[in-house]
Amino acid sequence: MNDPSSLPLTPKGNNNLQTNTNTAAKKLQAFQNSKFMKLLRPILGVVVSLYIVFRLYQVLVVHQEYGADTWTRLLISGLIIGGVYSLIAIGYTLVYGILFMINFAHGEVMMFGAYAGLYSFWAFKIIPIAGDPPTNFLNAYPILAIILAFLIGMTVSATMGFFLEKIAYRPLRKAPRLVPLISAIGASIFLQNAAMLLFSPQLRDVTNPDILRRGAGWTIVINGSNVILPYTGVFTFILSILLLVGLYILVRKSKLGRAMRATALDKKTAALMGVDVDSTISRTFIISGALAGAAGVMWGIHNGLVYYFVGFIPGIKAFTAAVLGGIGNLPGAMVGGLLLGIVESMGPAALGIDFQLKDVLSFLILIFVLTFRPSGLLGEVLSEEKV
Amino acid sequence: MILNVDNISVNYGAINALRDISFTLNEGEIVALIGANGAGKSTSLNTVSGLLRPTTGKVEYLGSDITTVTPQAIVNLGIIQVPEGRKIFAKMSVWENLEMGAYTVKDRKVIQERYEMVYQKFPRLKERRNQPGGTLSGGEQQMLAIARGLMAGPKVLLLDEPSMGLSPILVEQIFDIIQEINKTGTSILLVEQNALMALAIADRGYVLDTGRIVLQGDADDLLHNPTVINAYLGGETTD
């Protein structure tokens, strides 16, 4: 009874666990500073840069395979997917900032949001609205239907995030850092299978309202050829940016945001200021979940297909984006997401490789960031205390 | 009695950090808890703040039992701790740190008044209010830590080693400020290794050693107590 370790903070008795992770981190740091890595880094850097320059030269100067129209198309699709990555990446970064763990089930939280959007649109389509000709709720009030679908998707994912933390991570708050990570992977597999059993393994088509028909869009003529600026894409991109800006203001300017940052910096002192640390962590998961939910609904609207595995790849890509920008760093996740979307979309063309290798390209970026700059583009080197 | 700590014991796993210790704080007093490293001084404060739960005994604030109350509820009651090592939120600006101090205060007008009070007491903080807390010097950080505590409008202020790592002149300044705060009606529980300084401004004192209270009494008496002089005042006799 009354064991002080049941409290939200780590009393000194738990230090041995912390020390273990500390030595692991130190070993990693020692490895990164080792002679082998010191030698490997510049060699690898030169080889990779030479290869990239060589390929870019071949594609852009020698062959000139693609015109400006193709590049614009690729840029557009890169920005759209990048916005979605950013939204999901924010969830990784917020949770990492406050708990120093990677929430590997975050992609699944997004997947449930995508399903919520899918079923909302289905339901709206069934509700009949009398008129001439008779129509349905989805097309009679498309804007309201879209707003409702997003609210439902965000609520479902926020709830998932809340319970995910409560069930899978909170009981392990005092455990060594590897333990919640394994729990996260377990939660991810569990949620995928739960979704498969609940919604069947079938791929589902999302029914968009007519004003957001997939494939339709504004046409711009570049180089004498038509480039389509899809409605769904523009909608997705603008909404992502609005949500990102909203989140940034929330974290920077609001009282909740300050409490979140204070909790991330120092839980014990935050508690001494009267911050309820547990509820702040819960709220962080709720916010992350809501953003992932919005990303899921967007994914459904723009890509059109939803199935139980739909969150996995975007989840891992967004994790890559968060690492690329500097995990724990909010603007980093935003920039990282957009950058990854663009690289993934334009990279294969620019390097003259198969378009199907775009995933390989993303994960190569992850490996290179971890090798050359583990703190990411905008991240700072972690202090001893945080490690 | 504003604060009554009655026979508390605290364990860290199998280690007894505090064994049946009792101390009290009266309204308007400064009480010093002195002792060497690991004597249990910070543990005592963290228990009062609700960060640690005692296995036995109880903590009373104005007659009501607060032993099992959450840390944030204790802050709400007006018991504010300024933690050891200042614990400034390094990446947050000075004013954001102060804003965190006033986290439990709902009334914007009260917060504004406190800002003015705090900025008047610590003009340096006003100059540097947009600077990240981590860029301040040690002395400024200690002032920020105390100012942050004052933003909550404490009835009881728990100060954990405010002199740590500061030059003698700065220590003197900090202790002057502590006395000033006390004169405005805040009761202060002061934890210090610098026994001489602490007892000089305190009304009463308790000496802790390995989780037990070994001596207690008026600060003046403790200052002249041979045991205290030998153990904590470097063996110099003051008479």
Side-chain angles (χ1 to χ4, degrees):
Chain A
M1 260 325 275
N2 275 337
D3 180 20
S5 65
S6 65
L7 284 156
L9 303 152
T10 316
K12 284 168 191 161
N14 252 344
N15 268 356
N16 51 341
L17 295 178
Q18 302 277 304
T19 336
N20 279 343
T21 39
N22 265 345
T23 41
K26 264 178 202 151
K27 266 185 199 160
L28 182 72
Q29 210 157 37
F31 173 68
Q32 276 168 351
N33 294 332
S34 70
K35 233 181 204 161
F36 172 69
M37 286 300 280
K38 267 185 189 150
L39 210 68
L40 182 69
R41 249 181 252 174
I43 295 174
L44 214 60
V46 168
V47 170
V48 170
S49 327
L50 276 179
Y51 174 76
I52 290 175
V53 170
F54 169 67
R55 294 302 300 187
L56 284 177
Y57 172 74
Q58 275 203 317
V59 171
L60 298 176
V61 183
V62 181
H63 297 296
Q64 298 197 345
E65 275 175 65
Y66 309 104
D69 51 327
T70 308
W71 291 118
T72 317
R73 271 187 213 112
L74 293 174
L75 179 66
I76 290 168
S77 75
L79 283 173
I80 295 164
I81 191 75
V84 177
Y85 288 163
S86 296
L87 275 185
I88 310 173
I90 289 288
Y92 282 103
T93 256
L94 279 180
V95 166
Y96 184 84
I98 213 158
L99 284 184
F100 308 123
M101 68 162 284
I102 308 289
N103 178 12
F104 274 120
H106 195 55
E108 277 56 52
V109 173
M110 174 222 154
M111 177 259 294
F112 273 84
Y115 268 110
L118 167 87
Y119 286 123
S120 302
F121 282 147
W122 272 11
F124 296 153
K125 181 108 194 224
I126 293 169
I127 303 173
I129 299 282
D132 188 34
T135 172
N136 50 45
F137 182 77
L138 185 65
N139 289 313
Y141 307 103
I143 295 175
L144 186 62
I146 291 167
I147 293 174
L148 279 175
F150 271 96
L151 286 180
I152 293 169
M154 289 169 82
T155 312
V156 165
S157 290
T159 316
M160 294 258 330
F162 173 77
F163 283 108
L164 182 66
E165 190 267 339
K166 201 126 194 159
I167 296 167
Y169 307 145
R170 183 165 302 183
L172 304 170
R173 189 89 52 81
K174 297 291 180 324
R177 280 172 54 191
L178 206 55
V179 178
L181 204 68
I182 294 164
S183 177
I185 294 169
S188 163
I189 296 170
F190 170 78
L191 290 174
Q192 272 170 21
N193 285 283
M196 190 180 75
L197 292 174
L198 277 173
F199 311 126
S200 96
Q202 218 183 320
L203 270 71
R204 306 270 189 202
D205 270 316
V206 179
T207 326
N208 286 8
D210 285 342
I211 56 162
L212 270 184
R213 276 188 324 279
R214 256 187 307 286
W218 293 282
T219 312
I220 350 169
V221 180
I222 294 173
N223 249 2
S225 106
N226 288 344
V227 175
I228 292 174
L229 199 57
Y231 297 140
T232 53
V234 173
F235 170 76
T236 297
F237 184 71
I238 291 175
L239 189 58
S240 320
I241 299 296
L242 286 179
L243 284 172
L244 291 176
V245 170
L247 176 92
Y248 192 75
I249 293 171
L250 174 86
V251 171
R252 282 282 131 197
K253 303 278 179 223
S254 75
K255 190 170 174 176
L256 172 62
R258 264 195 302 275
M260 282 166 64
R261 280 184 289 143
T263 306
L265 288 169
D266 185 344
K267 290 187 186 51
K268 183 186 163 203
T269 309
L272 286 178
M273 303 291 118
V275 175
D276 185 337
V277 172
D278 280 341
S279 104
T280 307
I281 291 173
S282 285
R283 287 176 204 200
T284 308
F285 273 86
I286 288 171
I287 293 169
S288 307
L291 291 179
V297 180
M298 282 178 200
W299 187 273
I301 288 177
H302 183 64
N303 291 356
L305 279 182
V306 172
Y307 61 115
Y308 71 96
F309 212 56
V310 78
F312 184 70
I313 290 289
I316 297 203
K317 291 282 177 60
F319 167 65
T320 306
V323 172
L324 175 64
I327 194 133
N329 182 307
L330 224 47
M334 301 178 182
V335 172
L338 288 174
L339 205 63
L340 190 74
I342 293 169
V343 167
E344 190 183 290
S345 164
M346 300 177 85
L351 296 177
I353 54 177
D354 201 321
F355 276 89
Q356 263 141 22
L357 290 175
K358 68 180 170 61
D359 291 354
V360 175
L361 205 62
S362 300
F363 299 130
L364 272 179
I365 289 179
L366 179 61
I367 292 169
F368 282 122
V369 170
L370 289 174
T371 315
F372 292 110
R373 199 177 153 80
S375 54
L377 294 176
L378 301 184
E380 58 242 278
V381 179
L382 287 176
S383 64
E384 192 75 357
E385 203 177 332
K386 281 210 164 182
V387 170
Chain B
M1 233 161 12
I2 191 160
L3 194 66
N4 178 26
V5 174
D6 188 17
N7 265 314
I8 57 167
S9 299
V10 175
N11 301 335
Y12 291 123
I15 303 157
N16 306 110
L18 294 180
R19 302 172 209 195
D20 293 323
I21 73 158
S22 302
F23 56 87
T24 59
L25 178 66
N26 295 318
E27 192 110 37
E29 261 188 332
I30 300 181
V31 166
L33 293 184
I34 59 176
N37 267 338
K41 308 186 298 288
S42 296
T43 306
S44 308
L45 287 198
N46 286 337
T47 310
V48 173
S49 280
L51 295 177
L52 298 170
R53 294 272 145 87
T55 47
T56 60
K58 61 181 176 182
V59 182
E60 282 180 340
Y61 173 67
L62 290 171
S64 49
D65 192 339
I66 58 162
T67 320
T68 54
V69 170
T70 60
Q72 55 280 9
I74 288 175
V75 172
N76 263 318
L77 288 171
I79 305 179
I80 311 298
Q81 185 186 147
V82 177
E84 182 182 358
R86 315 187 247 279
K87 297 292 161 75
I88 293 304
F89 297 115
K91 286 183 191 167
M92 294 166 81
S93 66
V94 168
W95 79 262
E96 280 184 317
N97 268 283
L98 293 173
E99 196 74 19
M100 281 312 296
Y103 187 77
T104 51
V105 185
K106 301 271 180 312
D107 190 347
R108 240 13 261 190
K109 239 166 67 193
V110 175
I111 297 179
Q112 266 322 310
E113 283 168 22
R114 298 225 172 111
Y115 266 121
E116 274 157 38
M117 177 266 288
V118 157
Y119 281 151
Q120 194 211 337
K121 244 190 196 67
F122 306 101
R124 279 307 272 277
L125 296 182
K126 189 174 188 181
E127 282 167 36
R128 310 201 160 195
R129 61 185 179 278
N130 291 320
Q131 214 169 300
T135 62
L136 301 184
S137 72
E140 288 165 349
Q141 285 192 16
Q142 186 60 61
M143 293 186 186
L144 177 54
I146 293 174
R148 189 175 61 179
L150 292 178
M151 288 299 287
K155 296 194 181 72
V156 174
L157 195 60
L158 314 173
L159 292 167
D160 201 346
E161 305 243 8
S163 77
M164 195 162 92
L166 299 184
S167 70
I169 296 175
L170 277 171
V171 173
E172 208 134 333
Q173 266 183 36
I174 296 279
F175 276 70
D176 283 347
I177 290 163
I178 294 171
Q179 280 180 298
E180 250 175 64
I181 294 166
N182 176 246
K183 284 204 187 88
T184 57
T186 309
S187 317
I188 291 175
L189 187 60
L190 174 65
V191 155
E192 261 299 339
Q193 286 200 55
N194 189 336
L196 185 63
M197 287 295 293
L199 290 173
I201 67 162
D203 299 299
R204 291 183 301 120
Y206 295 84
V207 180
L208 268 85
D209 189 28
T210 55
R212 288 204 177 83
I213 288 178
V214 289
L215 267 175
Q216 63 187 77
D218 281 345
D220 283 340
D221 296 342
L222 288 178
L223 265 177
H224 298 96
N225 183 301
T227 327
V228 176
I229 290 165
N230 279 324
Y232 304 105
L233 301 179
E236 291 165 38
T237 42
T238 38
D239 346 28

